[in-house]
C-alpha cells in the first residue's frame, strides 16, 4: 500500500504511537538566578563616573587602606580581590600586612596613623583577626568617617536609630540591592534572616524593617527554623552552615539570598565553595535565588567600593 499521510494504517500507527509516547517531562519551575556579578559591574560603572567627578572637580582620588593581620588564607584571597577591584574603578588601595605575632598596640598605632592621613578616605581591618585580638574593640578605634565596612558602633547605631549619613555594612547593603533587583516594593512582605551577626544578620534585618518588611531573625537556638522559613517571602541565609536551607524550607515564589560561604572538599580532595542554601532543591521552588559563588560576594565588594567613594565625597563636602 502506498504511503499516504491519511491512510488508515498510518493514522492507526500514529494513534498507537501517541499511546506509547513517554509522558511529557514535567517542566520544573526554575528560579531566576540573581546575577550578583553583573549587578556589581553596573554599580562599579556608576562609581567610575563618580570618581571621575571627584578627580576633575575636587582633585580627590578615593583612597582605601586595608589592614590584614596574620596569614589567614581566605583573607589573603579576599583582600587581593578588593585591591584588584579598587584598581578597576580608580580607587587607590593600600594594603598593610602585619604579622600575627604583633601586639594589639602595634595594630592600634597603625590605625591611628591611617585615621589621621588625609589621603585615605576608607579604612578596613580584614576579619577575622587572630584570636588574641578583641575585634569589636579594634573596630571601634577606626575613625567613623573612614569606617567603610560600617561596623563601628556609631555607624551601626545610626543605622539602628534611622539617622542618615552613616555607613551601612557592605554585605547587608549588597543583599538589599540584590533583593531590589527582583522586587522594588517590599512593603508588607515577610522575611526570615538566618544569622544574627553585626556583620550581616542584624543590620540586614534593620534594612528590611525600614522597607516595611516583617522580619524574623533566626539564630542557632531557634526552634523549628523550617516552619518559620516556609512562611517567608524573602529568605536570607547567613549562618555559615552548608546546605542549611533545604527545598522544603522555602515557600513557592520566595526570594532567596544565600550569604553563606562554606569551603568543602570533594572526594578527590579538591576544595569547593557552597552556600547555606541547597541551590538545586530551592531553585525549584523560589522565584529568584542567588548562586554561590557569584551572588552576594561580588555585591559585597562593590558596596565596599561604593562606601569608599561616599567617604571621599563626604571628605570634600565636610
Ligand atoms: P557569624 O558566625 O558571625 O554568625 C553566624 C550566625 O548564624 C550566628 O548568629 C548564629 O547564631 C547563626 N547560626 C549558626 N548556625 C545556625 C543554625 N543552624 N540555624 C540558625 N542560625 C544559625 O557569621 P557571619 O560573619 O555573619 O557570616 C555568616 C556566613 O556568611 C559565613 O558563611 C560567612 O562566610 C558568610 N559571609 C559571606 C559574605 C559575602 O560577601 N558573601 C560576607 C560576610 C559573611
Amino acid at each position: 500500500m502506498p504511503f499516504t499521510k491519511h491512510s488508515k494504517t498510518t493514522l492507526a500507527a500514529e494513534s498507537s504511537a501517541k499511546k506509547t509516547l513517554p509522558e511529557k517531562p514535567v517542566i520544573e519551575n526554575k528560579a531566576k538566578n540573581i546575577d550578583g556579578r553583573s549587578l556589581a559591574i553596573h554599580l562599579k560603572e556608576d562609581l567610575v563616573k563618580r570618581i571621575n567627578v571627584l578627580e576633575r572637580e575636587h582633585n580627590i582620588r578615593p583612597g582605601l587602606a586595608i589592614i590584614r593581620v596574620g596569614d589567614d588564607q581566605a583573607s589573603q584571597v579576599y583582600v587581593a580581590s578588593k585591591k584588584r577591584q579598587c584598581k578597576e574603578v580608580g580607587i587607590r588601595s593600600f594594603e598593610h600586612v602585619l604579622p600575627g605575632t604583633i601586639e594589639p598596640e602595634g595594630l592600634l598605632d597603625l590605625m591611628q596613623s591611617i585615621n589621621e592621613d588625609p589621603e585615605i578616605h576608607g579604612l578596613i581591618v580584614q576579619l577575622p583577626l587572630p584570636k588574641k585580638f578583641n575585634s569589636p574593640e579594634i573596630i571601634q578605634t577606626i575613625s567613623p568617617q573612614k569606617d567603610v565596612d560600617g561596623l563601628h558602633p556609631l555607624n551601626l547605631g545610626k543605622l539602628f536609630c534611622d539617622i542618615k549619613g552613616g555607613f551601612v555594612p557592605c554585605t547587608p547593603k549588597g543583599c538589599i540591592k540584590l533583593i531590589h533587583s527582583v522586587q522594588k516594593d517590599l512593603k508588607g512582605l515577610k522575611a526570615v534572616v538566618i544569622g544574627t551577626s553585626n556583620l550581616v544578620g542584624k543590620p540586614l534585618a534593620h534594612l528590611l524593617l525600614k522597607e516595611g518588611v516583617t522580619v524574623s531573625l533566626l539564630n542557632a537556638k531557634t526552634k523549628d527554623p523550617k516552619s518559620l522559613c516556609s512562611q517567608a517571602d524573602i529568605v536570607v541565609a547567613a549562618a555559615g552552615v552548608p546546605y542549611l536551607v533545604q527545598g522544603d524550607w522555602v515557600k513557592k515564589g520566595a526570594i532567596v539570598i544565600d550569604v553563606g560561604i562554606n569551603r568543602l572538599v570533594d572526594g578527590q580532595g579538591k576544595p569547593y565553595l557552597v552556600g547555606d542554601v541547597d541551590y538545586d532543591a530551592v531553585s525549584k521552588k523560589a522565584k529568584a535565588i542567588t548562586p554561590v559563588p557569584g551572588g552576594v560576594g561580588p555585591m559585597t565588594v562593590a558596596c565596599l567600593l561604593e562606601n569608599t567613594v561616599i567617604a571621599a565625597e563626604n571628605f570634600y563636602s565636610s
Side-chain angles (χ1 to χ4, degrees), residues 78 127 170-172 175 193-202 217-222 225 237-242 244 249 258-263 274-276 292 295-301:
Y78 291 142
L127 300 174
C170 306
T171 302
C175 288
V193 176
I194 310 175
T196 60
S197 69
N198 287 342
L199 187 65
V200 189
K202 278 189 251 173
L217 200 46
L218 277 50
N219 60 57
K221 304 272 190 296
T222 300
V241 179
L244 176 67
W249 282 38
D258 191 353
V259 179
I261 301 176
N262 306 292
R263 286 175 178 74
V274 295
D276 287 359
V292 176
V296 174
M299 283 305 282
T300 295
V301 181

Side-chain angles (χ1 to χ4, degrees), residues 159-160 168-169 171-174 176 186 202-213 215:
L159 174 65
F160 296 142
V168 175
T171 302
K173 191 175 185 177
I176 291 289
L186 307 180
K202 278 189 251 173
L204 179 58
H206 196 81
L207 291 172
L208 288 165
L209 281 175
K210 284 209 286 198
E211 300 265 339
V213 176
V215 186

